[in-house]
Amino acid sequence: MTTAAEMLRGGIIAAGHGTRLRADGHRASKPMAPVGGRPLIEHTLDRFRAAGICRVTVIINEGSDDCRRWLGGHGQDFDLDVIVRTTPSSYASFQLVAARLADSPALITTVDSILPVDDFRLFVSAAAAFPSDAVVLGLTGHVDDDNPLWATLDVSDGRILRLGGDGGSHVTAGLYWLPAHRIAKPATGFARLRDYLKWLVDGGQKVYGVVLPLVFDIDRARDVEAAELAGFGQHENAGE
């Protein structure tokens, strides 16, 4: 019998340039930025591995040759599909990955989101319990982003009532569950992924949220330090 995890496919958006990390002295590409001595891409793959998701599409930009080489020597237990493309926006990267994961439920995450393995598995099980046509976002009350995307959540049923603005009950956490039957694409594109997500909510699409206690968004050196102080160390299972 095929399990839910075997049906679920994974996606990793790792095409960012890491401008703020580079300004703080990091020389590697963003997905190779180390947290607890291990690159972000390794933390992300470990979470998919722990959830039993082995078919994963990764998008990196054309300047991330260090990550491309790393992926070539790691993750042999995954069915990896690597896209090497410099895109104009987070929305463009998201759509490229989502297109590769068509016809099955998919969980896409940004490479710079760091969270405990158990919380990642919690998100998978909770998202699977929502209606089969729902989009599900990971949310957190831990606000450490310079420009967070605020969400207002209806705690009675988990539906997201509003995205954007200057406040809300939670912020988005870089995890996106897509149903097997995808929503029709908008007539025009968006400059940012957050604009697309807001369009979904404003248009009445079923968008739900799963609240996770602690998610770090790694954009600056101080974010790396904060994640390491919180226990994200050398060993995923021990540190997360």
Side-chain angles (χ1 to χ4, degrees):
M1 178 181 295
T2 302
T3 67
E6 288 170 334
M7 293 175 57
L8 183 63
R9 298 180 65 185
I12 303 172
I13 299 174
H17 294 280
T19 305
R20 286 170 286 184
L21 281 169
R22 288 183 182 275
D24 288 342
H26 286 261
R27 294 292 171 256
S29 66
K30 186 167 188 178
M32 293 301 293
V35 175
R38 301 167 61 235
L40 286 170
I41 188 67
E42 184 174 355
H43 285 278
T44 310
L45 285 176
D46 276 352
R47 287 190 285 278
F48 279 114
R49 183 181 291 111
I53 301 168
C54 61
R55 299 180 66 188
V56 178
T57 294
V58 185
I59 185 168
I60 60 175
N61 67 54
E62 293 164 12
S64 296
D65 198 54
D66 53 351
C67 185
R68 183 189 60 78
R69 291 194 304 270
W70 188 93
L71 287 168
H74 297 78
Q76 287 83 356
D77 53 329
F78 285 95
D79 178 4
L80 279 181
D81 168 32
V82 181
I83 305 170
V84 181
R85 191 175 306 181
T86 300
T87 63
S89 68
S90 55
Y91 172 72
S93 296
F94 178 86
Q95 288 296 336
L96 279 171
V97 172
R100 295 286 185 98
L101 306 177
D103 302 321
S104 66
L107 170 54
I108 299 175
T109 181
T110 53
V111 77
D112 52 8
S113 294
I114 285 280
L115 69 155
V117 162
D118 287 345
D119 290 348
F120 188 82
R121 286 192 292 238
L122 168 67
F123 178 82
V124 172
S125 59
F130 283 111
S132 61
D133 60 344
V135 172
V136 186
L137 308 183
L139 305 177
T140 184
H142 178 244
V143 184
D144 72 338
D145 197 320
D146 291 341
N147 184 27
L149 176 57
W150 287 97
T152 300
L153 185 68
D154 185 340
V155 295
S156 67
D157 63 358
R159 189 157 180 173
I160 294 176
L161 303 175
R162 183 170 63 90
L163 278 178
D166 297 327
S169 58
H170 302 85
V171 297
T172 57
L175 289 94
Y176 316 100
W177 172 287
L178 303 180
H181 180 68
R182 299 297 162 79
I183 299 96
K185 288 185 179 180
T188 58
F190 296 95
R192 302 174 300 175
L193 176 54
R194 62 175 55 203
D195 298 327
Y196 169 68
L197 299 174
K198 186 177 186 302
W199 174 81
L200 289 177
V201 173
D202 291 347
Q205 169 65 36
K206 294 178 182 176
V207 182
Y208 293 87
V210 174
V211 178
L212 305 166
L214 187 63
V215 182
F216 287 92
D217 180 54
I218 306 298
D219 286 324
R220 299 183 183 275
R222 66 171 182 258
D223 302 325
V224 175
E225 295 168 3
E228 291 175 343
L229 285 173
F232 293 87
Q234 297 282 349
H235 302 290
E236 189 88 0
N237 290 334
E240 297 191 20

